[in-house]
């Protein structure tokens, strides 16, 4: 029997913590956070917990639903089947999510799609992908200043009961030592030189080279997320945590970058970021750095390469002739950095679904390089550790055909008693090794400072 969803209003809260704090320790609790209150916020927060089913993909590519091994090894096909199993009758609504999948797709999921190789680099033990099938959501619309509960009648009563329970007390968070990188300047320089050799040989035009920083910690990861959120408000943030035998695992993402947005009518948009400068200490310095970025031929060239790559990716599933670029290398300024951001749009071909689009474009070109498959192979060869969730994607796929996902940059990953951060940047033929090394630090320096207890 198909159950009917109801949409009922709740008191509006500008900050999603007011609701999520009561739910965060429930099974499968997820927060997709648009960054309010902040000048850099988006429109919607999406909160849920207690999924109907949970699909995970392990490091060997095995797909499991609620712990049972699936014969289907293509994770996107398995996720589509799970999505279609959600039988709900829903009213017409402008809200982006009325039930469906919420979770993450780790960077290494690309191994299921492309011939990347099988390097033996150390792996963070999180599942490669973890997506829940949710039949309810609490959604905050910051444009309309309204909060909505989307649920069946029975679920609604459950959720209201959970929300009326006292929020569990927050605990302190503490790093036990400062973040340490897995490569020093000399190690980065050797890898930089290897990338330059590949570019000169014609293997590639651009490689996104990243480095990982790690630190032991103790305490409450939710408190850590709140520190990060205060330091760097962004429109595509997210938090999810779950217990394991090895200790807690969690994702604390403060991403500024949208990966793929798809509407139920088939309109598709991606917003690649390439080109970065730090914010200035004074208005004059800030303006100078922004103008320098806008005038940089190198940064614009990097951005244009990725736009071409994404045009090709979208063209695999979009109607011929529909892919266009309404914004090329526009300046967008966030709390800690300026970025060059382009917009690529298209219209899904008849019969194609959002998960087809995600598979066609995964992982995002802005954090791999061009051409994509060769770039991924070189990344696999040069980076000392697997990327885990970093440079993958967080987001949702709605039962009606809406999808919104981010690129998981500015993202911390907790595994057991260690917390990991990555910083990276695109390398091209005229890149400068020292400038690129500093950029990897600039992108996450404020996150490190916030977690280490200093000022961002």
């Amino acid at each position: 029997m198909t159950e009917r969803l109801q949409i009922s209003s709740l008191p509006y809260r500008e900050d999603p913590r007011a609701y999520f704090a009561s739910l965060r320790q429930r099974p499968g609790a997820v927060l997709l956070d648009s960054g309010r209150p902040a000048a850099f916020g988006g429109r919607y927060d999406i909160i849920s917990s207690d999924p109907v089913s949970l699909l995970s993909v392990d490091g060997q590519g095995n797909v499991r639903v609620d712990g049972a091994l699936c014969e289907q090894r293509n994770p996107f096909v398995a996720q589509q089947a799970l999505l279609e199993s959600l039988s709900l009758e829903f009213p017409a609504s402008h809200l982006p999510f009325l039930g469906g999948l919420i979770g993450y797709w780790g960077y290494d999921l690309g191994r299921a799609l492309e011939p990347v190789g099988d390097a033996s680099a150390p792996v963070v033990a999180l599942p490669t992908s973890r997506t829940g099938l949710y039949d309810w959501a609490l959604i905050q619309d910051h444009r309309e200043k309204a909060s909505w509960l989307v649920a069946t009648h029975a679920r609604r009563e459950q959720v209201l009961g959970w929300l009326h329970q006292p929020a569990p007390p927050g605990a302190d968070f503490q790093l036990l030592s400062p973040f340490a990188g897995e490569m020093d300047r000399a190690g980065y320089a050797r890898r930089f030189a290897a990338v330059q050799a590949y570019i000169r040989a014609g293997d590639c035009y651009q490689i996104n080279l990243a480095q990982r920083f790690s630190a032991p910690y103790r305490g409450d990861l939710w408190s850590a997320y709140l520190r990060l959120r205060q330091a760097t408000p962004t429109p595509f943030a997210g938090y999810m945590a779950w217990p394991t035998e090895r200790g807690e695992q969690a994702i604390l993402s403060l991403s500024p970058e949208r990966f793929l947005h798809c509407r139920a009518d088939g309109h598709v948009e991606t917003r690649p970021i390439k080109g970065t400068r730090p914010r200035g200490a004074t208005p004059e310095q800030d303006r100078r750095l922004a103008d320098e970025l806008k005038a940089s031929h190198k940064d614009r060239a990097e951005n244009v390469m990725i736009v071409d790559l994404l045009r090709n990716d979208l063209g695999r599933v979009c109607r011929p002739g529909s892919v266009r670029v309404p914004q090329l290398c526009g300046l967008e300024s966030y709390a800690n950095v300026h970025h060059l951001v382009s917009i690529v749009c298209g219209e899904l071909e008849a019969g194609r679904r959002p998960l087809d689009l995600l598979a066609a474009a995964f992982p995002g070109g802005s954090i791999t390089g061009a051409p994509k498959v060769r770039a991924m192979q070189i990344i696999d060869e040069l980076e000392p550790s697997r990327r885990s969730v970093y440079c993958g994607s967080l987001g949702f796929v709605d039962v009606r055909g809406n999808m919104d996902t981010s690129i998981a940059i500015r993202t911390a990953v907790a595994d057991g008693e260690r917390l990991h951060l990555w910083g990276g940047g695109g390398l091209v033929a005229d890149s400068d090794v020292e400038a690129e090394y500093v950029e990897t630090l600039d992108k996450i320096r404020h996150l490190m400072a916030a977690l280490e207890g200093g000022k961002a």
Side-chain angles (χ1 to χ4, degrees):
M1 178 179 171
T2 302
E3 294 186 87
R4 181 170 178 78
L5 287 176
Q6 300 173 358
I7 301 176
S8 54
S9 63
L10 293 175
Y12 173 66
R13 304 280 188 260
E14 189 175 57
D15 191 328
R17 289 179 292 181
Y19 283 122
F20 189 68
S22 298
L23 298 165
R24 68 183 182 91
Q25 293 186 349
R26 293 208 59 80
V30 291
L31 167 63
L32 299 181
D33 181 357
S34 63
R36 296 283 171 151
F40 313 100
R43 181 172 181 180
Y44 296 106
D45 301 327
I46 299 176
I47 296 168
S48 194
S49 72
D50 296 78
V52 176
S53 289
L54 186 67
L55 186 149
S56 64
V57 184
D58 66 22
Q60 288 71 49
N62 299 307
V63 179
R64 287 181 170 83
V65 176
D66 300 326
L69 187 64
C70 295
E71 292 184 10
Q72 176 57 254
R73 288 186 62 85
N74 184 311
F76 297 95
V77 173
Q79 288 163 355
Q80 183 64 41
L82 186 62
L83 181 64
E84 291 173 0
S85 73
L86 187 62
S87 181
L88 294 170
E89 182 184 345
F90 40 82
S93 174
H94 76 285
L95 296 176
F97 185 80
L98 297 186
L101 301 175
I102 307 176
Y104 71 84
W105 295 260
Y107 172 85
D108 285 322
L109 210 59
R111 296 171 185 278
L113 305 170
E114 304 289 0
V116 175
D118 190 24
S120 57
V123 191
V124 175
L126 271 68
T128 307
S129 178
R130 193 175 192 269
T131 50
L133 183 68
Y134 294 86
D135 63 351
W136 75 272
L138 195 162
I139 300 174
Q140 302 210 117
D141 183 341
H142 295 297
R143 183 184 299 174
E144 301 296 330
K145 296 193 181 303
S147 297
W148 305 96
L149 179 56
V150 178
T152 62
H153 176 74
R155 265 295 202 198
R156 180 179 183 276
E157 296 308 307
Q158 267 190 322
V159 174
L160 291 176
W162 299 335
L163 291 173
H164 285 122
Q165 293 174 0
D172 192 22
F173 170 85
Q174 180 184 8
L175 290 185
L176 301 181
S177 65
F179 279 98
E182 62 187 354
M183 59 176 98
D184 56 14
R185 267 182 162 80
Y188 182 89
R190 287 194 298 273
R191 291 167 174 83
F192 178 94
V195 169
Q196 293 299 313
Y198 278 125
I199 292 173
R200 289 194 300 271
D203 277 58
C204 54
Y205 309 105
Q206 180 179 163
I207 297 292
N208 186 284
L209 183 66
Q211 58 172 325
R212 189 179 81 176
F213 301 83
S214 303
Y217 79 93
R218 66 181 173 208
D220 188 353
L221 290 167
W222 175 242
S223 296
Y225 175 76
L226 297 180
R227 285 196 205 176
L228 294 174
R229 190 176 185 271
Q230 180 68 26
T232 179
T234 57
F236 300 105
Y239 177 84
M240 49 195 80
W242 58 96
T244 73
E245 294 179 354
R246 302 177 66 252
E248 194 167 30
Q249 295 182 332
I251 299 164
L252 300 74
S253 184
L254 285 300
S255 176
E257 183 171 357
R258 169 174 273 162
F259 180 27
L260 294 167
H261 180 236
C262 184
R263 298 194 311 237
D265 64 3
H267 178 77
V268 170
E269 177 185 290
T270 183
R271 297 173 60 91
I273 290 175
K274 265 295 168 224
T276 304
R277 293 292 185 279
R279 299 299 300 263
T282 66
E284 294 76 17
Q285 184 189 41
D286 195 56
R287 194 159 43 246
R288 178 180 60 77
L289 288 164
D291 290 343
E292 177 188 298
L293 179 59
K294 287 190 292 184
S296 169
H297 295 297
K298 169 190 170 292
D299 289 294
R300 292 181 68 87
E302 284 185 40
N303 197 297
V304 169
M305 285 183 204
I306 299 307
V307 165
D308 284 343
L309 188 157
L310 284 164
R311 288 174 64 231
N312 289 333
D313 283 349
L314 265 61
R316 296 165 67 183
V317 292
C318 284
R319 181 168 47 80
S322 72
V323 178
R324 56 193 180 85
V325 184
Q327 173 178 301
L328 186 63
C329 299
L331 180 74
E332 293 188 6
S333 299
Y334 293 86
N336 297 283
V337 291
H338 300 291
H339 282 311
L340 291 183
V341 183
S342 294
I343 301 175
V344 185
C345 295
E347 305 293 331
L348 277 185
E349 210 168 18
R352 294 289 194 171
R353 296 162 297 196
L355 282 165
D356 297 324
L357 170 67
L358 187 60
F362 195 87
S366 66
I367 42 71
T368 51
K372 184 192 286 188
V373 175
R374 186 66 184 120
M376 292 169 67
Q377 291 168 346
I378 293 169
I379 288 167
D380 204 54
E381 173 192 328
L382 296 179
E383 291 185 6
S385 299
R386 294 274 188 92
R387 288 183 169 187
S388 182
V389 180
Y390 173 69
C391 290
S393 189
L394 273 70
F396 70 84
V397 186
D398 169 72
V399 288
R400 298 162 299 165
N402 294 325
M403 178 175 73
D404 207 356
T405 58
S406 68
I407 295 283
I409 53 176
R410 319 294 193 270
T411 295
V413 172
D415 177 29
E417 298 177 347
R418 294 188 69 78
L419 198 62
H420 307 281
L421 275 171
W422 289 258
L427 307 183
V428 292
D430 57 351
S431 292
D432 175 77
V433 62
E434 180 62 19
E436 296 294 346
Y437 180 80
V438 170
E439 182 178 318
T440 68
L441 298 173
D442 282 344
K443 288 177 176 175
I444 57 172
R445 196 185 306 275
H446 55 293
L447 302 180
M448 289 183 181
L451 291 169
E452 289 170 358
K455 292 184 179 180

